[in-house]
């Protein structure tokens, strides 16, 4: 009988980013541990403010995904868009992990459950015996992160950019902004949206709670080390966000980072509802992992999507009719931040 890799004294030894089961080890695990391993990889997905608003339940050869509504951002995510995109990103990781192991699965999406306690998705596996092992993609799932440092503006060749775009399905339109005139207009939109965001007291109060000093003793949120904030300054920033007018300085910092980025990308969908947000998150994570596999860094900027009607200016710029859902920058970067904190499995597995 296989020893559980999720036993309390074994978790740190086996289940971490640097020591993952290979195909043989995975094959020897119990079915419950196989499901928990897939959940672990799913939980490495990005989420707004690193709230990690997901819960999982293991059943016989299946995983159920639930929204943790207590982790919804009340001020900056009034519609639940960011929560659903975050859940979609977790599903994207789960799907890629299963595919990397050659596991056949079916998916039942239920973006609008009849109650808050209903599952958003049920992933059922025909078998949990792996038929292959794509270690490159699994390592990319583990390594993917949001890199908020300045990029070095090296050009991204069209073949690589096309690989990233092709990782998305037809449910999502990926529009690239890389011409200088378009990039300049996009930067203006982002700057104005950022200033407006920091004028919103509800937004800044909420953000100040999720940006944390660099103590490395957290399970969620955004510590200063993850944002590239110097250690001493990280103890001051949450207070400054809450009490000082930081819109202009933050807009200037963001503009500098955008200028150093080779390209920006906007993901849009025909519909603007929970189902579309969920699918957008799935596709975004597939693209983010593909970018990681090609050494491309990305960083999401929420303001032009969530604040006011700035998304309409992006529509005009790109000449698209769909609703922009995600805006992010791409590029190469020699600096990598430490990984963002993660909730332990015992807190996210029901």
């Amino acid at each position: 009988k296989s020893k559980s890799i999720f036993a309390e004294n074994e978790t740190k030894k086996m289940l971490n980013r640097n020591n993952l089961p290979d195909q043989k080890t995975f094959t020897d695990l119990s079915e419950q541990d196989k499901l928990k391993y897939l959940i672990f990889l799913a939980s490495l997905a990005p989420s707004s403010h690193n709230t990690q608003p997901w819960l999982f339940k293991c059943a016989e050869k299946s995983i159920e995904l639930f929204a943790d509504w207590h982790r919804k951002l009340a001020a900056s995510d009034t519609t639940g868009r960011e929560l659903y995109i975050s859940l979609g990103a977790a599903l994207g990781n789960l799907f890629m992990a299963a595919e990397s192991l050659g596991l056949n699965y079916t998916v039942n999406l239920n973006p609008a459950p009849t109650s808050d306690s209903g599952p958003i998705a049920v992933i059922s596996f025909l078998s949990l015996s792996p038929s292959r092992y794509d270690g490159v993609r699994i390592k990319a799932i583990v390594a993917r992160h949001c890199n908020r440092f300045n990029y070095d503006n090296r050009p991204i060749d069209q073949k690589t950019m096309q690989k990233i775009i092709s990782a998305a399905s037809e449910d999502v339109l990926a529009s690239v902004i890389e011409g200088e005139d378009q990039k300049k207009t996009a930067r203006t939109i982002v700057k104005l949206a950022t200033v407006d965001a920091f004028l919103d007291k509800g937004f800044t109060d909420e953000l100040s709670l999720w940006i944390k000093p660099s103590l490395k003793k957290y399970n969620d949120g955004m510590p200063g080390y993850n944002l590239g904030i110097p250690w001493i300054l990280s103890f001051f920033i949450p207070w400054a966000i809450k009490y000082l007018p930081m819109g202009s300085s933050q807009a200037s910092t963001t503009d500098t980072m955008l200028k150093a980025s080779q390209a920006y990308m906007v993901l849009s969908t025909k519909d603007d509802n929970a189902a579309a947000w969920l699918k957008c998150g799935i596709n975004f994570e597939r693209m983010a992992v593909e970018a990681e596999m090609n050494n491309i860094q990305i960083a999401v900027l929420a303001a032009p999507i969530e604040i006011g009607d700035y998304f309409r200016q992006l529509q005009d710029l790109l000449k698209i009719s769909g609703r922009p859902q995600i805006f992010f920058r791409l590029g190469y970067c020699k600096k990598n931040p430490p990984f963002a904190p993660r909730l332990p499995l015992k807190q996210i597995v029901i």
Side-chain angles (χ1 to χ4, degrees):
K1 188 175 182 180
S2 63
K3 188 175 183 179
S4 174
I5 65 169
F6 300 96
E8 192 66 29
N9 63 338
E10 289 289 311
T11 301
K12 291 183 179 179
K13 177 181 177 183
M14 175 61 78
L15 193 62
N16 60 61
R17 292 178 187 264
N18 298 316
N19 191 15
L20 299 171
D22 56 19
Q23 182 173 353
K24 182 180 184 305
T25 304
F26 182 86
T27 301
D28 291 340
L29 297 176
S30 68
E31 289 198 343
Q32 283 292 297
D33 278 353
K34 289 176 180 177
L35 295 174
K36 288 180 180 178
Y37 170 59
L38 294 172
I39 290 172
F40 169 71
L41 294 178
S43 73
L44 300 181
S47 57
S48 183
H49 289 10
N50 194 29
T51 51
Q52 303 167 66
W54 41 63
L55 294 168
F56 300 89
K57 182 179 180 181
C58 295
E60 184 179 355
K61 288 189 174 64
S62 69
I63 294 173
E64 297 178 5
L65 170 68
F66 299 81
D68 186 346
W69 296 103
H70 296 97
R71 290 181 167 270
K72 178 178 174 292
L73 297 170
S76 57
D77 187 26
T78 56
T79 63
R81 178 197 317 277
E82 295 178 18
L83 179 141
Y84 271 97
I85 289 175
S86 301
L87 294 177
L91 283 176
N93 269 358
L94 183 54
F95 298 162
M96 286 185 288
E99 292 156 11
S100 296
L101 290 162
L103 304 178
N104 293 321
Y105 63 90
T106 59
V107 183
N108 180 18
L109 296 181
N110 185 25
T114 55
S115 70
D116 287 353
S117 60
I120 300 294
V122 179
I123 303 88
S124 302
F125 297 92
L126 302 180
S127 169
L128 288 170
S129 298
S131 61
R132 61 192 295 263
Y133 185 80
D134 185 350
V136 173
R137 187 167 298 275
I138 289 178
K139 287 180 180 178
I141 292 171
V142 172
R144 183 225 55 83
H145 60 281
C146 186
N147 190 322
R148 297 179 178 86
F149 289 116
N150 283 342
Y151 302 160
D152 59 22
N153 212 16
R154 274 181 287 161
I156 303 173
D157 66 82
Q158 289 303 312
K159 183 178 180 181
T160 300
M161 188 68 79
Q162 192 55 48
K163 281 183 181 179
I164 297 171
I165 294 173
S166 298
S169 71
E170 60 185 17
D171 294 319
V172 171
L173 174 65
S175 303
V176 181
I177 301 173
E178 51 188 348
E180 287 306 315
D181 289 342
Q182 271 197 327
K183 288 172 68 177
K184 183 177 180 180
T185 302
R187 289 199 301 272
T188 299
I189 296 170
V190 173
K191 283 194 294 184
L192 293 173
T194 301
V195 170
D196 279 0
F198 277 81
L199 289 174
D200 186 328
K201 189 67 166 58
F203 170 82
T204 54
D205 284 354
E206 184 175 71
L207 180 62
S208 70
L209 297 175
W210 290 94
I211 292 184
K212 304 176 181 182
S214 296
L215 296 176
K216 299 190 178 183
K217 295 181 179 179
Y218 311 104
N219 289 328
D220 56 17
M222 300 176 289
Y225 62 79
N226 189 240
L227 303 174
I229 299 173
W231 187 82
I232 293 178
L233 191 58
S234 73
F235 291 84
F236 171 74
I237 287 295
W239 178 89
I241 288 174
K242 186 170 184 177
Y243 294 108
L244 298 181
M246 295 191 63
S248 295
S249 62
Q250 186 59 40
S252 177
T253 299
T254 301
D255 188 56
T256 298
M257 291 189 293
L258 284 170
K259 285 179 179 177
S261 302
Q262 184 62 27
Y264 322 140
M265 195 175 292
V266 174
L267 304 187
S268 57
T269 57
K270 179 181 177 181
D271 299 317
D272 189 27
N273 54 31
W277 304 334
L278 200 62
K279 291 178 181 178
C280 192
I282 294 170
N283 284 275
F284 167 73
E285 187 65 354
R286 285 188 178 276
M287 296 172 73
V289 170
E290 184 65 38
E292 178 65 36
M293 291 173 65
N294 287 276
N295 298 313
I296 303 294
Q297 304 299 305
I298 64 172
V300 176
L301 295 107
I305 301 296
E306 291 291 339
I307 302 300
D309 288 335
Y310 287 103
F311 73 91
R312 298 191 186 280
Q313 296 185 32
L314 290 176
Q315 286 176 317
D316 293 340
L317 173 65
L318 296 168
K319 295 179 172 56
I320 59 175
S321 59
R323 178 33 160 117
Q325 305 290 1
I326 302 178
F327 179 102
F328 59 98
R329 60 189 178 98
L330 307 91
Y332 293 98
C333 187
K334 295 178 181 178
K335 295 176 63 178
N336 277 321
F339 289 115
R342 290 291 148 183
L343 292 166
L345 275 180
K346 63 183 179 182
Q347 289 190 30
I348 62 173
V349 178
I350 302 173

